[in-house]
Amino acid sequence: MGVLETIPVLLSSSSSSSFLDTSTVIALTVFFALLCACIIIGHLLEENRWANESITALLLGLCCGVVVLLISKFHSSRILVFSEDLFFLYLLPPIIFNAGFQVKKKRFFKNFTTILLFGVVGTVISFCLISLGAYLLFKRIGVTSLDIQDYLAVGAILSATDSVCTLQVLNQDETPLLYSSVFGEGVVNDATSIVLFNAVQSLDVSNIDLLTALKLLGTFLYLFFTSTALGIAAGLISAYIIKTLYFGRHSTDREVALMMLMAYLSYVLAELLNLSGILTIFFCGIVMSHYTWHNVTESSRVTTKHAFATISFIAETFIFLYVGMDALDIDKWKSSKQGTSIAVSSTLFALVLVGRAAFVFPIANITNCIKKRPSTKIELRKQFIIWWAGIMRGAVTIALSYNQFANSDKTLTEDSALMITSTIIVFLFSTVVLGSITKPLIEAVLLRNAKPAHSDATDIPSLDDLQILFLENGDPSDQGGSNEPARRKGSLSLLISNPTSTVHYFWRKFDDKFMRPVFGGQGFVPFVPSSPTGAADPQTS
Amino acid sequence: MGVLETIPVLLSSSSSSSFLDTSTVIALTVFFALLCACIIIGHLLEENRWANESITALLLGLCCGVVVLLISKFHSSRILVFSEDLFFLYLLPPIIFNAGFQVKKKRFFKNFTTILLFGVVGTVISFCLISLGAYLLFKRIGVTSLDIQDYLAVGAILSATDSVCTLQVLNQDETPLLYSSVFGEGVVNDATSIVLFNAVQSLDVSNIDLLTALKLLGTFLYLFFTSTALGIAAGLISAYIIKTLYFGRHSTDREVALMMLMAYLSYVLAELLNLSGILTIFFCGIVMSHYTWHNVTESSRVTTKHAFATISFIAETFIFLYVGMDALDIDKWKSSKQGTSIAVSSTLFALVLVGRAAFVFPIANITNCIKKRPSTKIELRKQFIIWWAGIMRGAVTIALSYNQFANSDKTLTEDSALMITSTIIVFLFSTVVLGSITKPLIEAVLLRNAKPAHSDATDIPSLDDLQILFLENGDPSDQGGSNEPARRKGSLSLLISNPTSTVHYFWRKFDDKFMRPVFGGQGFVPFVPSSPTGAADPQTS
């Protein structure tokens, strides 16, 4: 009895002696409880037409923010302060890596030209239009203290799209061309807008002339290619190490650990070298799924495939929860006028809509003119879906906005607070309102004029055509080339009209002959017990 | 050309505009590169007699510390400051959870009495002896400024063992009783010493009497049972949710995510309630592997099994690397005298040896007297191995030592610095020197007097004996009970002499009848496609 009575006393006194900071533990407990709730609610709402995981997390975060606001008596709605380190170092890398790891490589590279046009050229157009529009319109609303660099930054910030909502609705097998365009654009757009933002921040705004624009272009291209090269190198090194040292012999956990660590290492290395970590880890993921993944044991393959997807899923949910909770931060709202805030965010949203329309429809129609086969053309309803998919703004926008307007000055100026709240309004409106009508809308647009499923499946002639086309270089056991010369003549025009597929064909030959024997890959790893499902690409098994 | 020339200029100017703190990125790059190196070197040294993964990581960390020391011209050897938050919030939980998740439950609970005796009673004995010894001896060396609480803390700090080295050498199948004793003691010891340390820190040292000792005992028992109950509850809730909501229908990633998040939630919740998170997450792991793991899809099972092991492996390597790098921190060594430091650490190490011998051999011999079957007794050479396994000191010791002596005061006093450096010396010596002779030593001890592999496998009579013993309650299809009464009489003494196995038998019956139908588990999950390997426990498949 005496022992039991002493417990409350001891407990109250021991609460101060814990190793851990109580507020950190509280924040972690709340966050992990909310994450669990998000997963369960998301699962229950899976068949719901209006909801999706992002919106659930966002709304749950908002609700929690309100509760904290009420508990703290309107002093603060935040449990954790939004940290760019957390976002750019720990949450974004697994998402982008998983995107690269699970991407359907064949489709991605088939649409590579389209993806680059939308993701790079389109983002740059959007960036220019939004910057220019903001520059011309903001002064009329009453925002005066921003300089040229701020306007350029606004352009870069609001060019970063978030196509998660649309991707959750689109079916990868029914509309592969559309899916890979939207998906690919999303990843390239993230990288482009972050690189643009970095370039803008490093810009000397005192004398803007043609040289500055050239510098911007030069930095951009330099970052793009070196980052990609670094990612490919990291992926190849991991493949080579795991293949040569034969890790599965001792432990499959070491293989998985090495893949995770090498991927992350490529990201931080890129950041250290001031390159774009996002591009690096994306290409590292692609190379790892093409080579490294085939060099590991069967159980490591299952583990990596699902573990990477799980970590990415948790990170994504965490971001939406986090941003939802942070949106109500009372300090930001106090220091910005409500009326102006709504005017600015409406202007920004209109600019986003126009900026996106200004490149989606022209680029789509230009590519349609170049392509000859009707099945590879992007119809108007698909152009609409591509346009729609890129309207939503996401966590990258929020993070860049904080970086530009919350960090540059020690104290939050009125206009900086205004820009942050306006960005949050655009983000919330586009994600919650437009996100919830995405599913019914896309279903309506696609079903209204449904065509057979294979209609957009082939961007190139079938692989058989190409095998015949290049039969002299192909596997001799494939076919006896009796009627080869006759066919070949007709195929030559095919070759010229399909440069992408030609590149793909030569890449496959190069891959089989030089790359796979060194770095491993499908069919080149004799010691791994192969199974029909396990030997396939991660996304197909 | 003009573009290329501008790149260096832009790079140097853009280095200041990166989102991320450069020093953080450098630290992460170095750490992840070293982690990769550890894995590769550890793999290459797998067959080496002297090396193991922990020592490799520790030495690599030391080397890196030296390099940093040289680069910084003896100003600092640390890239990151040792953070207890990092250790207790992010590195320790996955290790302990994985220990619970992969533990061979049957063997663990069969040896539960022995494990508790060694882990709880033994640790308390060791704690008392080390505290007393330090109190009596330190004043003669010249350490004068420590108070009673510090001495008690030293006892708790140096009671935390690290049996990783020994476990890497012991074979789970050849010497199961020994393995599960050493393994189980290790986990229970971690929890006990941390709980003791917490209790000591919350102690009012002004008036120490019998009541204080009773308070300590009361807190200890309260923490022990509530933490265990919380862990079991968290595990059961996760099993119930996943079973009822049938997560595998939509996504296997959600299952894996929920398991990870619920486990971590149980840890932070325990810490929030000032319980022992380690015990909680350990029992959560056990319950999850018994129920939840059987409710998920086949690929989730493979994923969780390997992903948890991988994360635990990375965390463990990270800790050794981290502590190795931190060991050379110049500030600590500057403010403590070298001679005294060696005297203190020698004294501490001698106390560790004596303190461990003082409970291992008596407890082992007492249990030997109680047990009647010779195969279940712990022979002298096995007692020696158990003693040896607990001599090594690990990361928990370092973390607790920092907590007591680096955080209590703002400036590091001479004696505090002395205690930290002495702890580091004990840690380094025991891990590097004793760790490297562990493998040859244990092989010599075990092989010198080798017996058939099954000799220590059975702590209880076989399950067949018990099924006959309790046949009236068992499955009627098992046997026709013709000679049952005759056998039963002889079995009754068996029942009395084997309380552990009786408990285990009734638990199995209870589990099958009440628990598994509600929470799922092996054989109670009709909707998961079962495969011969997949349906087994995580550790056996």
Side-chain angles (χ1 to χ4, degrees):
Chain A
M1 286 298 282
V3 172
L4 281 173
E5 279 159 20
T6 62
I7 288 169
V9 183
L10 279 168
L11 277 182
S12 58
S13 66
S14 71
S15 62
S16 60
S17 74
S18 177
F19 314 115
L20 305 164
D21 186 25
T22 314
S23 62
T24 313
V25 176
I26 291 176
L28 283 173
T29 311
V30 171
F31 261 101
F32 279 89
L34 286 176
L35 277 175
C36 290
C38 279
I39 293 175
I40 294 168
I41 296 171
H43 170 75
L44 294 175
L45 293 177
E46 181 82 12
E47 262 103 48
N48 189 294
R49 277 174 69 87
W50 306 93
N52 63 43
E53 220 117 45
S54 329
I55 299 179
T56 312
L58 197 54
L59 292 179
L60 214 59
L62 281 172
C63 294
C64 181
V66 171
V67 171
V68 176
L69 207 62
L70 291 176
I71 291 175
S72 72
K73 288 170 188 158
F74 297 94
H75 285 303
S76 165
S77 77
R78 302 200 287 189
I79 291 190
L80 287 175
V81 177
F82 190 91
S83 140
E84 282 148 34
D85 266 19
L86 178 67
F87 180 74
F88 282 108
L89 273 182
Y90 306 110
L91 297 175
L92 199 55
I95 296 175
I96 304 289
F97 175 73
N98 186 56
F101 196 74
Q102 315 271 357
V103 72
K104 299 214 182 228
K105 293 182 291 293
K106 214 180 269 175
R107 285 187 196 149
F108 182 81
F109 285 109
K110 269 184 201 166
N111 293 320
F112 202 55
T113 329
T114 319
I115 288 170
L116 279 188
L117 279 176
F118 280 124
V120 180
V121 179
T123 306
V124 171
I125 293 174
S126 165
F127 158 72
C128 296
L129 279 176
I130 295 174
S131 301
L132 192 70
Y135 181 70
L136 296 175
L137 297 172
F138 273 17
K139 279 175 187 161
R140 302 190 182 182
I141 301 170
V143 182
T144 49
S145 71
L146 300 182
D147 58 17
I148 298 278
Q149 198 175 35
D150 287 328
Y151 287 114
L152 289 175
V154 166
I157 290 167
L158 285 164
S159 298
T161 66
D162 189 342
S163 37
V164 168
C165 282
T166 311
L167 287 178
Q168 283 174 348
V169 178
L170 287 180
N171 189 314
Q172 202 164 168
D173 298 312
E174 280 171 19
T175 52
L177 173 63
L178 187 62
Y179 186 93
S180 77
S181 300
V182 170
F183 170 86
E185 193 212 320
V187 176
V188 177
N189 166 281
D190 276 352
T192 309
S193 49
I194 292 178
V195 169
L196 271 175
F197 184 78
N198 271 336
V200 165
Q201 283 210 325
S202 68
L203 215 61
D204 182 11
V205 285
S206 53
N207 51 345
I208 289 185
D209 51 5
L210 192 67
L211 193 67
T212 320
L214 269 180
K215 269 183 187 171
L216 208 66
L217 187 72
T219 321
F220 182 80
L221 291 176
Y222 168 81
L223 289 178
F224 202 91
F225 286 106
T226 44
S227 305
T228 308
L230 182 65
I232 292 173
L236 288 179
I237 291 170
S238 78
Y240 185 76
I241 290 175
I242 288 181
K243 180 165 185 273
T244 315
L245 297 183
Y246 185 3
F247 269 74
R249 187 176 33 157
H250 288 141
S251 146
T252 107
D253 301 333
R254 277 208 195 103
E255 296 178 331
V256 180
L258 200 67
M259 280 175 81
M260 283 187 184
L261 294 174
M262 290 282 290
Y264 193 70
L265 185 62
S266 78
Y267 183 84
V268 284
L269 202 62
E271 289 295 330
L272 189 68
L273 301 172
N274 283 306
L275 304 177
S276 165
I278 290 200
L279 271 180
T280 303
I281 204 167
F282 179 70
F283 279 96
C284 182
I286 290 182
V287 172
M288 276 199 176
S289 81
H290 191 64
Y291 296 111
T292 322
W293 193 76
H294 293 279
N295 300 349
V296 298
T297 59
E298 176 68 33
S299 43
S300 293
R301 286 184 210 164
V302 178
T303 306
T304 47
K305 193 184 132 197
H306 290 289
F308 293 156
T310 304
I311 295 171
S312 161
F313 169 73
I314 293 177
E316 219 163 72
T317 314
F318 189 91
I319 289 175
F320 279 100
L321 198 60
Y322 197 23
V323 174
M325 235 155 142
D326 198 71
L328 291 175
D329 178 37
I330 203 84
D331 291 336
K332 293 192 299 267
W333 295 97
K334 267 181 188 162
S335 48
S336 67
K337 282 167 284 179
Q338 302 301 310
T340 324
S341 191
I342 288 167
V344 169
S345 49
S346 313
T347 314
L348 286 178
F349 190 66
L351 286 172
V352 164
L353 294 182
V354 173
R356 187 151 182 88
F359 75 85
V360 168
F361 299 105
I363 288 179
N365 285 309
I366 290 168
T367 52
N368 280 353
C369 289
I370 295 167
K371 282 175 185 166
K372 279 176 187 127
R373 288 158 61 103
S375 70
T376 66
K377 295 192 177 182
I378 306 170
E379 308 150 52
L380 190 63
R381 64 200 172 89
K382 281 179 186 160
Q383 295 175 16
F384 173 76
I385 290 174
I386 292 176
W387 175 75
W388 181 269
I391 291 176
M392 267 69 85
R393 290 294 170 270
V396 174
T397 300
I398 299 289
L400 293 180
S401 165
Y402 274 105
N403 186 271
Q404 176 70 15
F405 295 109
N407 278 18
S408 53
D409 307 302
K410 297 288 170 283
T411 55
L412 210 62
T413 67
E414 194 178 295
D415 279 351
S416 297
L418 187 69
M419 291 316 298
I420 291 177
T421 49
S422 306
T423 318
I424 291 175
I425 292 174
V426 171
F427 161 72
L428 285 181
F429 178 77
S430 66
T431 305
V432 176
V433 179
L434 301 188
S436 63
I437 56 173
T438 296
K439 204 167 178 176
L441 183 82
I442 288 184
E443 277 165 3
V445 170
L446 281 183
L447 286 177
R448 204 198 314 155
N449 193 8
K451 281 189 177 182
H454 64 274
S455 65
D456 77 349
T458 46
D459 192 18
I460 55 156
S462 77
L463 206 67
D464 287 340
D465 292 351
L466 276 161
Q467 267 172 352
I468 293 160
L469 173 62
F470 295 104
L471 201 64
E472 69 272 32
N473 299 319
D475 190 335
S477 68
D478 266 9
Q479 290 198 19
S482 59
N483 54 354
E484 190 196 323
R487 280 201 187 206
R488 212 180 143 195
K489 198 172 178 180
S491 312
L492 217 60
S493 64
L494 201 73
L495 164 65
I496 295 158
S497 65
N498 288 286
T500 318
S501 46
T502 315
V503 168
H504 181 244
Y505 179 81
F506 279 114
W507 158 248
R508 283 289 297 274
K509 290 202 68 68
F510 174 73
D511 193 25
D512 286 345
K513 209 163 183 181
F514 298 106
M515 300 296 277
R516 295 195 190 192
V518 179
F519 299 108
Q522 201 172 351
F524 279 84
V525 193
F527 55 78
V528 173
S530 66
S531 77
T533 56
D537 274 20
Q539 64 273 17
T540 56
S541 70
Chain B
M1 285 298 283
V3 172
L4 280 173
E5 278 159 20
T6 62
I7 288 169
V9 182
L10 278 169
L11 277 181
S12 57
S13 66
S14 70
S15 62
S16 60
S17 73
S18 177
F19 314 115
L20 304 165
D21 186 25
T22 313
S23 62
T24 314
V25 176
I26 292 176
L28 283 172
T29 311
V30 171
F31 261 100
F32 279 90
L34 286 176
L35 277 174
C36 290
C38 279
I39 292 175
I40 294 167
I41 296 171
H43 171 75
L44 293 175
L45 292 176
E46 181 82 11
E47 263 103 47
N48 189 292
R49 277 172 70 87
W50 307 93
N52 63 45
E53 220 117 44
S54 330
I55 299 179
T56 311
L58 197 55
L59 292 179
L60 214 59
L62 280 172
C63 293
C64 182
V66 171
V67 171
V68 176
L69 207 62
L70 291 176
I71 290 174
S72 73
K73 288 172 188 156
F74 297 93
H75 285 304
S76 164
S77 77
R78 302 200 285 190
I79 292 189
L80 287 175
V81 177
F82 190 91
S83 138
E84 281 148 34
D85 266 20
L86 178 67
F87 180 73
F88 282 108
L89 273 182
Y90 306 110
L91 297 175
L92 199 55
I95 296 175
I96 304 288
F97 175 73
N98 186 56
F101 196 74
Q102 315 271 355
V103 70
K104 298 214 180 228
K105 293 182 290 292
K106 214 179 268 174
R107 284 185 197 151
F108 181 81
F109 285 109
K110 269 182 199 167
N111 293 320
F112 201 54
T113 330
T114 319
I115 288 170
L116 279 188
L117 280 175
F118 279 124
V120 179
V121 180
T123 306
V124 171
I125 293 174
S126 164
F127 158 71
C128 295
L129 279 176
I130 295 174
S131 300
L132 192 71
Y135 181 69
L136 296 176
L137 297 172
F138 273 16
K139 279 174 187 164
R140 302 190 183 183
I141 301 169
V143 183
T144 48
S145 72
L146 301 182
D147 58 16
I148 298 277
Q149 199 175 36
D150 287 328
Y151 287 114
L152 289 175
V154 166
I157 289 167
L158 284 164
S159 297
T161 66
D162 189 342
S163 36
V164 168
C165 283
T166 312
L167 287 177
Q168 283 175 346
V169 179
L170 287 180
N171 188 313
Q172 202 166 168
D173 297 313
E174 280 171 18
T175 52
L177 173 62
L178 188 63
Y179 186 93
S180 76
S181 299
V182 170
F183 170 85
E185 193 212 319
V187 176
V188 177
N189 165 281
D190 276 352
T192 309
S193 49
I194 292 178
V195 169
L196 271 175
F197 184 77
N198 270 336
V200 165
Q201 283 209 324
S202 68
L203 215 62
D204 181 12
V205 285
S206 53
N207 52 345
I208 288 185
D209 51 4
L210 192 68
L211 192 67
T212 319
L214 269 180
K215 271 182 185 171
L216 208 67
L217 186 73
T219 321
F220 182 78
L221 290 176
Y222 167 81
L223 288 178
F224 202 91
F225 286 107
T226 44
S227 305
T228 307
L230 182 65
I232 292 173
L236 288 179
I237 291 170
S238 78
Y240 186 77
I241 290 175
I242 288 182
K243 180 166 186 272
T244 315
L245 297 184
Y246 186 0
F247 268 74
R249 188 176 30 154
H250 287 141
S251 146
T252 112
D253 301 332
R254 277 208 194 102
E255 296 178 331
V256 180
L258 200 67
M259 280 176 81
M260 282 186 184
L261 294 173
M262 290 282 288
Y264 193 70
L265 184 62
S266 78
Y267 183 84
V268 285
L269 202 62
E271 289 295 330
L272 189 66
L273 302 171
N274 283 306
L275 304 177
S276 165
I278 291 202
L279 271 179
T280 304
I281 204 168
F282 179 71
F283 279 96
C284 182
I286 291 181
V287 173
M288 276 199 177
S289 81
H290 191 65
Y291 296 111
T292 322
W293 194 75
H294 293 280
N295 299 349
V296 298
T297 60
E298 176 67 33
S299 45
S300 293
R301 285 184 212 166
V302 178
T303 306
T304 48
K305 193 184 132 194
H306 290 288
F308 294 156
T310 305
I311 296 171
S312 161
F313 169 73
I314 293 177
E316 218 163 71
T317 314
F318 189 90
I319 288 176
F320 279 101
L321 198 59
Y322 197 21
V323 174
M325 233 156 147
D326 198 70
L328 291 176
D329 177 37
I330 204 85
D331 292 335
K332 294 191 297 267
W333 296 98
K334 266 181 189 161
S335 48
S336 67
K337 282 167 285 179
Q338 302 301 311
T340 326
S341 191
I342 287 165
V344 169
S345 50
S346 313
T347 314
L348 286 177
F349 190 66
L351 286 173
V352 164
L353 294 181
V354 174
R356 187 150 181 88
F359 75 84
V360 169
F361 298 106
I363 288 179
N365 285 307
I366 290 168
T367 52
N368 280 352
C369 288
I370 294 166
K371 283 175 185 166
K372 278 174 188 128
R373 288 160 60 105
S375 69
T376 66
K377 295 191 178 184
I378 306 170
E379 307 150 52
L380 190 64
R381 63 198 173 88
K382 283 180 185 160
Q383 295 176 17
F384 173 77
I385 290 174
I386 292 175
W387 175 74
W388 180 269
I391 291 176
M392 266 70 84
R393 291 295 169 271
V396 174
T397 300
I398 300 289
L400 294 180
S401 165
Y402 273 106
N403 186 269
Q404 175 70 16
F405 296 108
N407 277 19
S408 53
D409 307 301
K410 296 287 171 282
T411 55
L412 210 62
T413 67
E414 194 179 295
D415 280 351
S416 296
L418 186 70
M419 292 315 299
I420 291 177
T421 49
S422 305
T423 318
I424 290 176
I425 292 175
V426 170
F427 161 72
L428 286 180
F429 178 78
S430 66
T431 305
V432 177
V433 179
L434 302 188
S436 64
I437 57 174
T438 295
K439 204 167 178 175
L441 184 83
I442 288 184
E443 277 166 3
V445 170
L446 281 182
L447 287 177
R448 204 198 315 155
N449 193 8
K451 281 189 176 181
H454 65 275
S455 65
D456 79 350
T458 46
D459 193 18
I460 56 156
S462 76
L463 206 67
D464 287 341
D465 293 351
L466 277 161
Q467 268 172 351
I468 294 161
L469 174 62
F470 295 104
L471 200 64
E472 69 272 34
N473 300 318
D475 190 337
S477 68
D478 265 9
Q479 292 198 16
S482 58
N483 52 356
E484 190 196 322
R487 279 199 188 209
R488 212 180 145 195
K489 196 172 178 182
S491 310
L492 217 61
S493 64
L494 200 73
L495 164 65
I496 296 157
S497 65
N498 288 286
T500 318
S501 46
T502 314
V503 169
H504 180 243
Y505 179 80
F506 279 113
W507 159 246
R508 283 289 296 275
K509 288 203 72 66
F510 174 73
D511 193 26
D512 286 345
K513 209 162 185 179
F514 299 104
M515 300 296 277
R516 295 196 190 190
V518 179
F519 298 109
Q522 202 174 350
F524 280 83
V525 192
F527 55 76
V528 174
S530 66
S531 77
T533 55
D537 275 20
Q539 65 272 20
T540 56
S541 72

